[in-house]
């Protein structure tokens, strides 16, 4: 039995399934201080996509102390196994006026 969500696939639609993992590392020694395990995102489209964007809201742990960290985002294509990684450095400061610098 076919559902309406299945029909575009039967007519040549496209499915993209990616999984994301987030991790935070202490910059000074590379210790992983927080992580979120793999979460899959599936998108179905009637046309083949040239790009695909995933937006994620990251709520930092209240247990992170003052210091410099690296947030690493890893994206895996579930079909091919291809992986892309990007990192961004950020700092937690005690004095809010320092955050503007």
């Amino acid at each position: 039995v076919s559902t309406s969500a299945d029909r575009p696939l039967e007519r040549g639609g496209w499915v993209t399934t990616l999984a994301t993992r987030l991790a935070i590392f202490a910059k000074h020694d590379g210790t992983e201080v927080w992580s979120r395990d793999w979460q899959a995102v599936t998108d179905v489209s009637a046309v083949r996509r040239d790009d695909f964007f995933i937006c994620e809201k990251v709520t930092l742990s209240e247990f992170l102390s003052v210091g410099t960290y690296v947030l690493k985002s890893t994206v895996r294509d579930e079909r091919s196994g291809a992986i892309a990684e990007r990192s961004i450095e950020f700092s937690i400061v005690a004095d809010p006026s320092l955050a503007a610098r």
Side-chain angles (χ1 to χ4, degrees):
V1 175
S2 179
T3 66
S4 61
D6 295 331
R7 286 187 189 135
L9 296 174
E10 292 171 4
R11 289 187 252 156
W14 299 88
V15 176
T16 301
T17 303
L18 303 176
T20 62
R21 181 180 187 276
L22 300 174
I24 296 175
F25 300 88
K27 184 181 178 192
H28 71 279
D29 66 1
T31 302
E32 184 176 296
V33 296
W34 177 88
S35 68
R36 193 203 65 211
D37 205 8
W38 293 100
Q39 292 187 356
V41 175
T42 299
D43 178 70
V44 178
S45 175
V47 296
R48 190 171 191 172
R49 296 191 179 277
D50 291 326
D51 51 18
F52 185 80
F53 298 93
I54 299 173
C55 296
E56 297 198 48
K57 182 177 181 179
V58 178
T59 302
L60 298 177
S61 170
E62 61 188 45
F63 299 107
L64 290 177
S65 61
V66 171
T68 303
Y69 298 90
V70 176
L71 171 64
K72 180 178 174 182
S73 174
T74 305
V75 179
R76 178 180 64 210
D77 182 318
E78 294 293 81
R79 184 171 178 205
S80 71
I83 291 179
E85 296 179 331
R86 292 291 183 263
S87 297
I88 186 169
E89 187 176 299
F90 68 96
S91 295
I92 296 178
V93 297
D95 181 351
S97 67
L98 296 174
R101 294 185 184 170

